[in-house]
Amino acid sequence: MLALLHLGGERALDSAVLAYGQAVIGDRRRYRYVGPADIASVALQGGEGRLIRSAKEFSSWVDSVDARELAEPFTYVVDANGVLRLAARRSEHVACAAGGEVLAAGEIAFVRRPDGWSVSEVSNQSTGYCPDPSCWPAVAAALHQAGLDHPGRLTSEFVFRRCLDCAELSVVKDGDFVCYVCGSDLPRAWNIDPA
């Protein structure tokens, strides 16, 4: 797993792990939009998420964001090319991704520290893409590319499953793999978009 190491207050990245993380991005699960079509059609009329491919691009983006917005998390995706995209919190993930497939999606919050910006919270909370928590290596690689220190894991993990009996989307809570609509057992493996 991709991990940041903190040595003597400086951020260092284990290059072997980074190389592995970047090598597997092409083989990682890509998530298609699985939310309502009407939401996607409206959302896609707005702007897409801001591409953040470097520390310089992040700095430029964060300098343009209103201070009140920085108090809340933002919508993010890691696009199919492994690049972080950021948008306002109430943006739809499908719009942030410009309608494309993603390697990860969720919400992310930033905090300014004496040595620069860092990620304080990051989740996979996206009912439009329903990414599995195993998307973390793609998130970590994109954050590293953007020059952002991070917690080393998703700080909030969401487990999404589709009920095989009633086809409803469920969020598994407290490890209880039971459909909240019909009470059927939910699959243990990710099954939101089997195609």
Side-chain angles (χ1 to χ4, degrees):
M1 175 178 279
L2 192 61
L4 281 180
L5 304 174
H6 297 277
L7 304 172
E10 292 184 32
R11 184 169 59 98
L13 187 64
D14 180 344
S15 59
V17 174
L18 175 61
Y20 171 77
Q22 290 176 332
V24 299
I25 283 177
D27 297 332
R28 297 208 60 80
R29 176 181 289 144
R30 293 173 189 252
Y31 299 93
R32 292 186 309 156
Y33 178 73
V34 295
D38 58 333
I39 289 178
S41 65
V42 171
L44 289 171
Q45 294 174 17
E48 61 190 55
R50 177 84 170 265
L51 288 167
I52 308 293
R53 294 169 290 228
S54 66
K56 183 177 180 180
E57 286 184 351
F58 179 80
S59 180
S60 174
W61 172 81
V62 80
D63 287 346
S64 72
V65 174
D66 184 278
R68 292 172 294 205
E69 287 183 78
L70 287 169
E72 293 189 5
F74 292 86
T75 294
Y76 85 88
V77 300
V78 176
D79 69 19
N81 295 317
V83 176
L84 180 67
R85 289 176 176 255
L86 298 171
R89 181 179 194 181
R90 286 161 187 80
S91 302
E92 293 292 335
H93 287 96
V94 66
C96 187
E101 293 182 340
V102 300
L103 302 178
E107 292 190 346
I108 191 167
F110 304 100
V111 63
R112 177 174 240 147
R113 303 203 189 279
D115 58 344
W117 287 94
S118 113
V119 174
S120 59
E121 297 174 30
V122 59
S123 77
N124 64 318
Q125 183 178 3
S126 168
T127 55
Y129 285 96
C130 302
D132 196 63
S134 64
C135 70
W136 170 250
V139 178
L143 293 174
H144 173 70
Q145 180 181 358
L148 291 165
D149 192 10
H150 57 74
R153 61 179 172 73
L154 294 172
T155 55
S156 296
E157 290 186 357
F158 292 81
V159 176
F160 300 98
R161 296 293 185 268
R162 188 168 302 284
C163 180
L164 298 176
D165 291 333
C166 72
E168 283 296 319
L169 173 67
S170 290
V171 176
V172 175
K173 294 184 180 176
D174 300 322
D176 190 15
F177 284 78
V178 175
C179 177
Y180 73 94
V181 174
C182 72
S184 297
D185 288 340
L186 295 170
R188 295 293 174 154
W190 188 86
N191 72 332
I192 301 301
D193 183 20

